[in-house]
Structures are given as structure tokens and as C-alpha cells.
Amino acid sequence: MGCEGIDDMSKESLSITDNRTGKSYEIDIKNGSIRAMDIRQITVNEDDFGLLSYDPSLGNTATVTSSVSFIDGDKGILEYRGYPIEQLAEKGTFLETAYLLVHGELPNKSQLENWETDITHRTMVLENVKKFMEGFRYDAHPMGMLVSTVGALSTFYPEAKNVQDESVRLEQTIRAIGKVGTIAAWAYRHTLGYPYVYPDNDLSYSGNLLNMLFRMVEDKYIPNPVIERAIDVLFILHADHEQNASANTMRAIGSSLADPYSALAGAIGSLYGPLHGGANEAVIRMLEEIETVDNIPSFIENVKSGTDGVRLMGFGHRVYKNYDPRAKLVKEMADKVFEVTGRNHLLDIALELERIALEDDYFIERKLYPNVDFYSGLIYQAMGFPVEIFPVLFAIPRTVGWMAQWSEAFGDREQRIVRPRQIYVGERQRDYVSMKDRS
Ligand code: CMC
């Protein structure tokens, strides 16, 4: 609140007059927001429930306080626990970043060593989990396999349901980060019909993932250092992104005190959609459909006219109204990867598409810029991955952010079970009609 004696203009509050009743209310402003519950007192009569705010898709509603990651969408800034994403991507490793997101501080040398050991020793999964995965059809989408198998982990680790216990939460976090890569890699191998590869504890997190994905008959898999580092950097960039659809799902499921694997399964399901983590897959399908640079202008016209609801996939973001900082870093990395893998044949179409879109009024007016998914799929494809696995490669690092945010909620005394309101617009109080009288 503003200081006493200073005029109303300096007060941290909002004055509202309800024109239905002529009554005025003063509502506190804190951190640039008002509390939605403060407007409930605004009523027209005694029977009135009180004023609600209507916010489909939560476009202007903060549901949590958080100190995990920060985005300034107008300036194109992303920070994890205050550290700029550019610095973490240049100097950090994925597991170091995971420690930062989970614990809030960068680890010292021994903390990092212990963390890496702890996670590495959780990469093995039980043989029953493997058998469970073997039950999927040969053409199962790996994201569907990931959703189900991660959800099934709750049956193997029943102690995970003790969610109020901080040490149990940390144990599940380490376990989830360790196992998600193994399950993801096995989902990929399943689609190829190849035997599943067990983890190799001598390798880094990303190196071991490549081992479980790509090892064939060699005695020891040696990852290419450029590819290994590229995966590590991509994972740093995807590790958290504040309150997106999947983080919100994770928190919503967690708010009922469900175990974290059930919540993770929900979060992965939310990520699966083409408007979220499935966009990297959709970008490649779009570029393949465009086929040649010559077809770009007519494709752009279709997007602008909304023909068949077609969108420029990998473009636009609810929060970024500027270039997504992650997209910049992914684009820079693409060249290094292509030196090893060979240039992706779709790159020319992507570059030209970006150039045309960034000069077009439709995209300029709506502040639509490339997001992280625009170039990441090109890199994954050049590395030899089929498109179906792309959202899975997003889910592996995002597990860190989901678990960090899930655990954070337990320290927030204001968090209760998530229970939004609705504006009911349907019929009311109708009498049952017998079958013979229905039209
Ligand atoms: N192509 C064409 N038009 C677009 C696009 C696009 N990719 N994105 C937004 N628009 C238009 C939209 O039609 C609307 O126009 P109008 O005002 O004339 O109706 C306007 O821009 C605002 O769009 P919106 O749908 O209200 O924006 P939103 O904040 O609800 O959606 C989004 C955000 C990411 C879902 C959307 O931009 C989109 O569908 N992008 C393509 C999918 C994609 O790349 N998703 C990955 C997001 S980043 C990775 C992640 O975190 O998951």
C-alpha cells in the first residue's frame, strides 16, 4: 500500500466502481497483480455469488509464484534461477543445469559429482518395465509409449505417493531424470524393432542417451563429441519454460497430491500436442509438404488466409513477442551439427520461410517469430532421428522443469487443489422426458 498522506495516485491499489450498484471498492495491487479472490466481494445483492474473472486459456492469470525460470517475452529473455539461458548453453552442462533448476543454485564441484553419480545410478529400469514396453504394437508412437510407461512407474515405486516428504520428492526427481532417458530411448528402439540397449554408466547423460538410442553391435559405443554436446545444449534449452501448458498440467495433477509419475504422465500428454512440444515434429512435416522454395509464397498465403486452419508451425508464442532466445541458439548450433551430419535438405526451405515471414505484415503485426521448435527438428532429423521421436526428445529435459516446479508447489502455503470456476451457459432445471415423447 502507498504511504499515508500521499494522494491516491501513489497508492498500490485499484479503485473499482460497479456501475450496476454504484458501489466502489479498493483492491490491493502487489507484484503488478490483483488477487482474483478480492473481486469476489463485488456483488449486486445478497444472493449474488460475487464477481468472477473469465480467462479462458489463462492468458492473463498468474496461478503461482515461482522462482524457477523467468521470461520477458517482449525483450526475448529467458533465465533459469536468474542465469541467462545463453550463458548456461555456452558454459554449462545439462546435468549442471538440472541441478540448478532443482536446487536453486549452481552446484560446486563435489555437489555436481554426487548429482551426476546419483542420476547415472538411476538410469537402469526394472525388467518388468521393459516387458511392459515390449507389449506395445510395433508401430506405437513413442510419445504414447512414454506417457504410459512413465505413468506406470508409480506402480513400481509406491513410496512416491508420500509427496509431502521433501526427501521423497528429491528421490523421485533424481529417479525421474535418470529413467526418462532410458524409457525414451527404448520407445525409439521399439519402433525400429531393435533390442533395447542398457545404460552405460561411463558415458555422460547425453552420451549415454545416444548409446541407448543408436548402439548396434559394437562392444562400446563412443558418441561423436559434437553431437553429444549438441544434445546437451538442446536439453539445456528445453529444461524449463515457466507456466506453459504441460507445467500447468503437472502442477494441476500434483495439486491433488497424486504421485509425481502420474503427474508426469499428464504433463507429457500435454506436451504431445502440435501446439506445444509436438510442434518440432509438425515443423518437419510442414517443410516436407512445402517441398521446394518455390512453393513457399503460396504456402504463406494459405497460412494468412487461414485455409484449412494451416499455421506456420514453429512460429509464434503466447509469451514471446520477440525472437525466442532459444531459437537463436538452436539456429547457431545447427551449422556445427550439419558439419558432422551433412546439411539438412530442408534447411533452405526453413531459412527462406523465416526470411519471408519476418518481412510480411501478417507476421509482423501479430509479432510472430520463430520459436524453439522451428530449427530443433532440423537438427534432430540431420542426426538421424525419425520425426515421431522429436517430442520425446523434448520431454526428456523438460522432466527436470516439471519436477522442479512440482516440488516447488509444496513449499507454497497458498497452493491448494486446483479448482477453476466456470461460466455455465447450458440449460437448467428441465424435467426428464420419457423416450416415447422425445422427438
Ligand atoms: N501461424 C500463423 N498464424 C499464427 C500463428 C502461426 N504459427 N501463431 C499465431 N498466429 C496468429 C493467430 O491466427 C492469431 O491471429 P488473429 O489475431 O488474426 O486471429 C494471432 O496470431 C494470435 O494467435 P493465438 O492463437 O491467439 O496465439 P496463442 O498465444 O494462443 O498461441 C501458439 C500460441 C504457440 C499456440 C501459436 O503461436 C501457434 O499455434 N504456433 C504454432 C505451433 C508452435 O510452433 N508451437 C510451439 C510453441 S514453442 C514450444 C513450446 O513451448 O511448446
Side-chain angles (χ1 to χ4, degrees), residues 275-276 303 311-312 314-316 318 362 366 368 371 373:
L275 299 186
H276 193 5
V303 169
R311 286 198 160 193
L312 179 46
F315 256 67
R318 174 67 60 78
Y362 175 95
R366 290 168 179 75
L368 302 172
N371 59 50
D373 289 320

Side-chain angles (χ1 to χ4, degrees), residues 138-258:
Y138 66 95
D139 59 351
H141 194 292
M143 200 64 169
M145 294 175 70
L146 190 69
V147 169
S148 329
T149 313
V150 169
L153 289 183
S154 70
T155 66
F156 295 95
Y157 305 106
E159 74 278 14
K161 68 176 184 298
N162 300 322
V163 293
Q164 303 281 14
D165 183 331
E166 195 179 346
S167 64
V168 170
R169 292 203 301 274
L170 182 59
E171 174 63 23
Q172 308 320 308
T173 300
I174 294 169
R175 190 176 264 157
I177 299 170
K179 298 201 187 320
V180 70
T182 311
I183 295 170
W186 287 5
Y188 170 71
R189 302 283 292 199
H190 186 87
T191 61
L192 298 177
Y194 290 152
Y196 303 168
V197 176
Y198 289 100
D200 179 345
N201 283 1
D202 294 343
L203 298 172
S204 71
Y205 188 87
S206 301
N208 174 47
L209 182 72
L210 288 165
N211 159 62
M212 293 188 291
L213 289 163
F214 292 126
R215 183 170 161 201
M216 297 306 281
V217 291
E218 58 270 45
D219 283 343
K220 176 97 185 156
Y221 180 85
I222 314 278
N224 178 300
V226 176
I227 305 292
E228 183 181 2
R229 176 64 190 157
I231 292 279
D232 219 57
V233 173
L234 282 164
F235 281 8
I236 292 171
L237 301 181
H238 284 85
D240 193 48
H241 212 230
E242 53 123 295
Q243 303 315 308
N244 47 74
S246 55
N248 185 55
T249 308
M250 181 85 197
R251 284 181 180 265
I253 300 177
S255 79
S256 75
L257 307 185

Side-chain angles (χ1 to χ4, degrees), residues 38-52:
D38 283 353
I39 63 168
R40 180 76 74 75
Q41 59 179 304
I42 302 177
T43 54
V44 282
N45 57 41
E46 271 185 8
D47 294 336
D48 188 357
F49 176 76
L51 200 64
L52 288 179

Side-chain angles (χ1 to χ4, degrees), residues 57 238 241 244-246 271 273-280 282-283 303-304 306 309-321 324 326 362-363 365-374 394 398:
S57 77
H238 284 85
H241 212 230
N244 47 74
S246 55
L271 187 77
L275 299 186
H276 193 5
N280 49 18
V283 168
V303 169
K304 284 159 61 177
V310 62
R311 286 198 160 193
L312 179 46
M313 300 312 284
F315 256 67
H317 200 274
R318 174 67 60 78
V319 181
Y320 292 122
K321 299 301 166 197
D324 179 338
R326 302 168 301 171
Y362 175 95
F363 297 92
E365 278 161 19
R366 290 168 179 75
K367 299 188 176 166
L368 302 172
Y369 292 87
N371 59 50
V372 68
D373 289 320
F374 194 66
F394 193 152
R398 186 54 62 85

